[in-house]
């Protein structure tokens, strides 16, 4: 399959018609043409010249992309410029024709009654031809094939209006329909351009260092292990780590976070990030096509292709709706004159107006512009929604299940409480024993010990006891560090035992330190709760999420402690991975559930929810497993993602109501014979322009005061 970018698609219905025509070609049955993204996917055996001719019939064309090769770059770049030029020229030509038609039309109205009829009629016909000839020819072709779409409806209406001598209104219909098509195409182009601007964050070149020499190379040529230098203001070409230098880096392209992040030697960096001030030497750890940015951009582009259930329904409905409107129009023309003594000319006029009202333009546009705008807006914020269907689901959520560790908490143990019985030795001994350990609890203890500034010596003869703790020698004496089981050599006094029970009761993990005779002290360790967790949960409740549920493998007391601190409505502890899946399935039976985890160990639970949401600052597994990815390493942007989803759904429902409501209102005007051709076209055009503008408001960032 080969993929092409198509420019100049005027409407969703037209894109469907073009796709249908291409599919009739030999080997063309698998072809897809997306109005949302302007992408055409073809079997390479399909004759491209015939495809181009089919596209040209609707003023669309295949854009020739730039190539990386220097030889081809000039020729292709020129073709690309020509096509962009042709597209803008096409719009200018259309605007010019519409302006000329309007001037001639106004001139004909002014001369009506003052000049011979033949002159005025000729002016109306010229104005009609200038603005409506493309629609007219397409409509005639469709009629010959008995294919009924918007162009067919408009052609029948134009022929009928001219046949009954309604020159003035026929011309107005042609001009307004031409304007409608132009504005409709420009509206979708605006949404696509917004998406393309987002996709332009990818750097094009890199400064590679090879044997001490710098050279400019295309990023596609970078290999794992290459060294690049990134100067202030330049983009980091691909994922890697800092070899030397120090600088702040803007990672907004990946995470949506506007605040710069300090980077020093050994720290990871993302491709597409902007280096702010210092010079960085970076070791490339992923070829560009495997980088976080490349995956994000690819998935965002793919997201435009997916059709939501609403869109699929609208498209299917429109397929039957157009012939239905033609039948209704025929009944309006025939029944009153045949059975109610009506005038044929008057009811033919009413029937033609019904045809124009029946154009499904606004209905078909109700969804795609809103969906593309919503996906783009979320991507700007570092929230990757993998398709319109998931954006729609995001807006329907009423229940969110959270994994605890690394989601509501930092996933890093820290010492919350210290109980000291031997001031002189407790911290010194603990530091000496844990100094060389890489265990997460040891790191938390060393962080606490380092705050005191005490000089820490090395312990000797360190022995780990599985599941209990450590024994070691320090300055000739033996010491024990670990949980209660590791203190079996001691008889723990009642008051210390009570303290142990109290600390366990509030959900702390205990590490005790003792010598041969007594306990020197203990550390109460917990998983640090993220600063934003409570405010995020509160914001979710305000945005219409009724149930927030925390799922964890930790014991119930720890679960209770974290749940109370962050404000979730329910919590469940002591869960195995399969228990989490069962809980998510249970919740899914009682609402629309989103599950949030880190995209690795929570994959089964993520898959069980209606929508899986992963967080993890661009980790490969997070990007690949979930339906929605929060590219930041926190939940801060989740409420806004859900709000955008809900807003998109509201706008789509509103657009459908407006487009159908205006049509129904216009159709009711046929009863008192008040429906005119210009009222019909204005109601159709008004609805189309209105739903386009309303959909584009999703792209507007509102400044919120918190």
């Amino acid at each position: 399959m080969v993929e092409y970018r198509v420019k100049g698609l005027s409407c969703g219905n037209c894109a469907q018609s073009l796709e249908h025509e291409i599919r009739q070609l030999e080997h063309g049955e698998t072809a897809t043409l997306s109005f949302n993204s302007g992408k055409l996917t073809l079997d390479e055996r399909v004759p491209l010249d015939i495809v181009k001719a089919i596209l040209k019939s609707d003023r669309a064309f295949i854009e020739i992309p730039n190539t990386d090769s220097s030889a081809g770059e000039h020729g292709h770049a020129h073709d690309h410029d020509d096509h962009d030029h042709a597209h803008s020229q096409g719009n200018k030509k259309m605007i010019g024709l519409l302006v000329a038609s309007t001037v001639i039309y106004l001139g004909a109205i002014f001369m009506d009654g003052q000049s011979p009829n033949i002159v005025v009629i000729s002016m109306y016909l010229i104005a009609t031809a200038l603005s409506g000839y493309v629609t007219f020819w397409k409509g005639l072709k469709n009629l010959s094939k008995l294919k009924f779409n918007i162009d067919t409806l408009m052609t029948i209406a134009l022929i009928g209006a001219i046949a009954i001598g309604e020159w003035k209104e026929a011309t107005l219909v042609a001009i307004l329909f031409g304007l409608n098509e132009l504005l409709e195409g420009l509206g979708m182009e605006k949404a696509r351009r917004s998406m393309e601007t987002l996709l332009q964050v990818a750097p094009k070149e890199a400064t590679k260092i090879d044997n001490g020499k710098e050279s400019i190379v295309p990023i596609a040529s970078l290999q794992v292990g290459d060294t690049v230098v990134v100067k202030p203001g330049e983009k980091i070409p691909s994922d890697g780590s800092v070899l030397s230098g120090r600088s702040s880096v803007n990672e907004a392209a990946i995470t949506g976070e506007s605040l710069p992040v300090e980077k020093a030697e050994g720290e990871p960096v993302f491709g597409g990030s902007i280096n702010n001030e210092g010079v960085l030497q970076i070791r490339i750890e992923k070829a560009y096509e495997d980088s976080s940015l490349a995956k994000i951009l690819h998935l965002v582009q793919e997201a435009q292709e997916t059709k939501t259930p609403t869109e699929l329904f609208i498209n299917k409905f429109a397929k039957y709706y157009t012939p239905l409107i033609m039948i209704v129009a025929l009944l309006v023309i025939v029944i009153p004159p045949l059975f109610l003594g009506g005038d044929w000319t008057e009811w033919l006029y009413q029937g033609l107006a019904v045809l124009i009202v029946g154009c499904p333009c606004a209905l078909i546009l109700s969804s795609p512009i809103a969906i593309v705008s919503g996906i783009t807006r979320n991507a700007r914020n570092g929230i990757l929604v993998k398709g319109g269907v998931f954006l729609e689901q995001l807006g329907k959520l009423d229940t969110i299940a959270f994994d605890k560790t690394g989601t509501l908490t930092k996933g890093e143990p820290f010492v919350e409480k210290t109980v000291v019985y031997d001031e002189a030795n407790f911290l010194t001994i603990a530091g000496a024993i844990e100094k060389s350990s890489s265990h997460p609890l040891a790191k938390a203890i060393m962080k606490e010990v380092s705050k005191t500034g005490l000089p820490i010596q090395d312990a000797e003869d360190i022995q780990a006891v599985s599941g209990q703790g450590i024994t070691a020698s320090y300055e000739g004496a033996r010491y024990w560090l670990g949980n209660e089981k590791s203190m079996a050599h001691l008889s723990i006094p009642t008051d210390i035992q009570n303290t142990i029970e109290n600390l366990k009761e509030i959900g702390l993990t205990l590490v005790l330190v003792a010598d041969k005779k007594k306990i020197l002290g203990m550390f109460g360790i917990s998983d640090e709760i993220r600063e934003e967790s409570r405010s995020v949960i509160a914001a979710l409740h305000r945005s219409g999420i009724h149930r927030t549920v925390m799922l964890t493998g930790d014991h119930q007391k720890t679960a209770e402690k974290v749940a109370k601190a962050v404000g979730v409505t329910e919590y469940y502890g002591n869960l195995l991975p399969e228990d989490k899946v069962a809980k998510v399935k249970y919740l899914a039976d009682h609402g629309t559930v989103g599950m949030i985890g880190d995209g690795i160990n929570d994959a089964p639970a993520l898959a069980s929810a209606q929508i899986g949401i992963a967080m993890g600052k661009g980790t490969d597994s997070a990007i690949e497993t979930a339906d929605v990815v929060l590219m930041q390493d926190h939940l801060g942007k989740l409420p806004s993602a859900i709000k955008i989803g809900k807003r998109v759904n509201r706008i789509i429902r509103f657009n459908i109501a407006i487009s159908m409501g205006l049509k129904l209102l216009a159709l009711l005007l046929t009863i008192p014979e008040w429906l005119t051709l210009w009222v019909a076209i204005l109601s159709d055009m008004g609805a189309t322009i209105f739903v386009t503008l309303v959909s584009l408001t999703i792209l507007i960032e509102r400044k919120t005061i918190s």
Side-chain angles (χ1 to χ4, degrees):
M1 299 295 279
V2 189
E3 198 175 87
Y4 299 97
R5 176 76 66 182
V6 176
K7 292 276 188 178
L9 291 171
S10 56
C11 70
N13 202 51
C14 310
Q16 281 177 23
S17 298
L18 292 171
E19 180 185 86
H20 179 74
E21 276 190 65
I22 294 167
R23 283 186 173 182
Q24 305 312 304
L25 301 175
E26 191 178 2
H27 308 299
E29 56 276 357
T30 56
T32 58
L33 177 60
S34 168
F35 176 57
N36 290 18
S37 62
K39 257 198 221 165
L40 170 66
T41 310
L42 275 181
D43 187 305
E44 53 265 31
R45 293 171 294 177
V46 176
L48 197 58
D49 52 343
I50 300 176
V51 172
K52 285 180 178 177
I54 291 169
L55 293 172
K56 194 177 178 182
S57 70
D58 193 48
R59 299 197 299 273
F61 58 87
I62 290 173
E63 179 186 45
I64 309 292
N66 282 311
T67 61
D68 288 325
S69 66
S70 56
E73 194 171 9
H74 295 92
H76 282 301
H78 180 68
D79 284 347
H80 177 260
D81 290 343
D82 279 352
H83 272 306
D84 266 354
H85 185 63
H87 185 47
S88 62
Q89 287 290 54
N91 281 339
K92 282 180 184 172
K93 183 183 174 186
M94 190 66 199
I95 292 165
L97 288 172
L98 287 170
V99 169
S101 299
T102 306
V103 170
I104 296 167
Y105 174 66
L106 293 173
I109 291 173
F110 179 75
M111 291 169 69
D112 202 353
Q114 300 178 34
S115 299
N117 262 357
I118 189 71
V119 173
V120 175
I121 290 169
S122 298
M123 288 176 75
Y124 281 134
L125 282 173
I126 291 165
T128 303
L130 284 174
S131 56
Y133 73 95
V134 174
T135 301
F136 186 73
W137 285 118
K138 282 197 289 187
L140 283 181
K141 278 186 204 169
N142 291 341
L143 267 175
S144 68
K145 297 174 190 171
L146 293 177
K147 191 170 93 181
F148 302 111
N149 65 7
I150 296 163
D151 299 312
T152 318
L153 295 183
M154 296 308 294
T155 300
I156 293 169
L158 281 174
I159 292 169
I162 289 167
I164 59 173
E166 292 289 348
W167 309 103
K168 189 190 295 182
E169 298 204 13
T171 310
L172 184 61
V173 165
I175 292 170
L176 289 177
F177 186 71
L179 180 62
N180 191 36
E181 289 255 284
L182 176 70
L183 293 174
E184 190 179 325
L186 289 174
M188 192 67 211
E189 199 60 38
K190 163 72 180 165
R192 283 197 210 109
R193 270 203 306 273
S194 182
M195 178 68 80
E196 282 166 14
T197 303
L198 181 80
L199 301 179
Q200 283 164 8
V201 297
K204 305 291 184 291
E205 296 174 324
T207 307
K208 183 180 170 183
I209 301 176
D210 209 350
N211 296 322
K213 291 183 180 177
E214 291 185 8
S215 59
I216 306 294
V217 298
I219 59 164
S221 69
L222 291 176
Q223 302 292 317
V224 174
D226 285 350
T227 300
V228 296
V229 63
V230 183
K231 292 165 186 170
E234 291 181 348
K235 288 178 182 174
I236 293 166
S238 190
D239 294 5
S241 59
V242 178
L243 281 176
S244 66
R246 179 181 285 274
S247 181
S248 65
V249 171
N250 182 342
E251 295 182 341
I254 307 292
T255 66
E257 300 281 21
S258 54
L259 291 175
V261 181
E262 294 297 325
K263 297 289 179 182
E265 194 174 321
E267 295 197 5
V269 288
F270 293 118
S273 307
I274 300 168
N275 180 22
N276 285 336
E277 63 274 331
V279 176
L280 294 175
Q281 273 198 23
I282 291 164
R283 181 187 184 276
I284 299 299
E285 290 175 357
K286 284 182 186 172
Y288 175 71
E289 62 268 21
D290 298 322
S291 70
S292 301
L293 180 65
K295 286 183 178 179
I296 291 165
L297 300 185
H298 176 67
L299 288 167
V300 168
Q301 283 180 297
E302 274 191 345
Q304 299 176 78
E305 311 298 318
T306 60
K307 282 189 164 58
T308 67
T310 306
E311 240 180 312
L312 290 169
F313 170 75
I314 289 171
N315 289 342
K316 196 171 181 182
F317 178 72
K319 188 178 172 185
Y320 299 105
Y321 168 82
T322 307
L324 180 68
I325 281 291
M326 294 189 77
I327 292 166
V328 170
L330 185 65
L331 293 174
V332 167
I333 292 166
V334 171
I335 289 174
L338 281 182
F339 302 107
L340 303 171
D343 179 72
W344 279 102
T345 307
E346 279 180 23
W347 285 102
L348 176 59
Y349 179 88
Q350 292 290 310
L352 296 174
V354 168
L355 275 185
I356 294 169
V357 167
C359 278
C361 292
L363 185 64
I364 289 167
L365 267 190
S366 295
S367 179
I369 296 179
I371 291 289
V372 172
S373 299
I375 290 169
T376 305
R377 175 78 185 279
N378 270 324
R380 278 186 200 160
N381 290 337
I383 299 152
L384 178 58
V385 183
K386 291 190 183 176
V389 63
F390 302 121
L391 184 66
E392 200 170 271
Q393 280 289 73
L394 200 59
K396 291 178 180 175
L397 290 182
D398 54 31
T399 304
I400 296 184
F402 300 86
D403 173 54
K404 178 186 79 72
T405 308
T407 304
L408 293 170
T409 65
K410 289 184 177 178
E412 298 170 6
F414 85 112
V415 175
E416 188 175 312
K417 196 164 182 64
T418 308
V419 180
V420 184
Y421 298 113
D422 185 333
E423 294 274 358
N425 296 311
F426 171 56
L427 292 174
T428 307
I429 302 301
I433 296 172
E434 296 285 44
K435 191 177 180 184
S436 58
S437 174
S438 59
H439 192 282
L441 294 182
K443 288 181 178 176
I445 288 168
M446 287 310 298
K447 201 171 179 181
E448 186 68 18
V449 170
S450 65
K451 290 178 186 174
T452 64
L454 290 169
I456 304 299
Q457 307 302 319
D458 291 334
E460 298 162 355
D461 190 23
I462 298 171
Q463 294 175 14
V465 181
S466 181
Q468 294 184 21
I470 299 169
T471 66
S473 295
Y474 182 73
E475 294 183 349
R478 199 74 184 158
Y479 294 95
W480 284 257
L481 180 147
N483 58 23
E484 289 169 88
K485 291 177 187 173
S486 65
M487 304 296 150
H489 65 288
L490 290 178
S491 175
I492 300 173
T494 308
D495 60 331
I496 295 179
Q497 190 63 54
N498 288 340
T499 302
I500 290 170
E501 295 304 324
N502 289 339
L503 293 179
K504 282 165 67 178
E505 191 68 25
I506 60 170
L508 297 179
T509 299
L510 298 187
V511 175
L512 292 80
V513 181
D515 59 18
K516 284 184 179 179
K517 296 177 181 177
K518 65 181 188 301
I519 288 177
L520 307 179
M522 65 187 85
F523 298 99
I525 298 174
S526 69
D527 186 359
E528 191 171 358
I529 294 167
R530 291 177 179 272
E531 296 85 354
E532 76 281 356
S533 291
R534 187 168 188 85
S535 60
V536 166
I537 299 293
L540 289 172
H541 289 157
R542 287 196 300 274
S543 68
I545 304 296
H546 308 307
R547 294 176 85 179
T548 47
V549 184
M550 187 184 77
L551 309 174
T552 179
D554 285 352
H555 56 77
Q556 195 69 7
K557 284 293 174 188
T558 303
E560 183 183 359
K561 176 175 178 270
V562 174
K564 283 181 179 173
V566 301
V568 292
T569 56
E570 299 168 46
Y571 61 92
Y572 300 94
N574 299 312
L575 299 178
L576 296 170
E578 56 267 32
D579 299 327
K580 287 185 183 180
V581 171
K583 279 287 176 200
V584 170
K585 283 181 176 175
Y586 168 77
L587 293 168
D589 289 339
H590 296 82
T592 307
V593 180
M595 169 71 193
I596 303 177
D598 62 11
I600 308 167
N601 30 3
D602 294 309
L606 289 172
S608 302
Q610 277 100 331
I611 187 165
I613 304 169
M615 52 184 290
K617 211 167 187 179
T619 57
D620 291 349
S621 51
I623 293 174
E624 284 158 17
T625 54
D627 307 316
V628 175
V629 183
L630 308 176
M631 298 307 294
Q632 315 83 20
D633 195 27
H634 59 76
L635 295 171
K637 299 286 179 81
L638 179 62
S640 74
I642 289 171
K643 277 182 186 170
I644 289 167
K646 287 182 182 293
R647 190 170 167 210
V648 167
N649 288 353
R650 274 199 311 273
I651 282 175
I652 290 171
R653 287 195 299 269
F654 177 74
N655 285 349
I656 292 169
I658 286 290
S659 53
M660 294 306 290
L662 279 174
K663 289 185 189 312
L664 184 62
L665 193 64
L667 288 173
L668 289 173
L669 292 177
T670 57
I671 297 168
E673 297 179 44
W674 291 347
L675 184 63
T676 60
L677 291 181
W678 66 268
V679 166
I681 191 72
L682 278 176
S683 75
D684 176 62
M685 179 185 171
T688 305
I689 295 168
F690 189 68
V691 301
T692 301
L693 293 176
V694 169
S695 296
L696 289 173
T697 62
I698 295 166
L699 290 169
I700 299 167
E701 302 267 356
R702 289 178 182 168
K703 299 290 179 191
T704 53
I705 299 166
S706 53

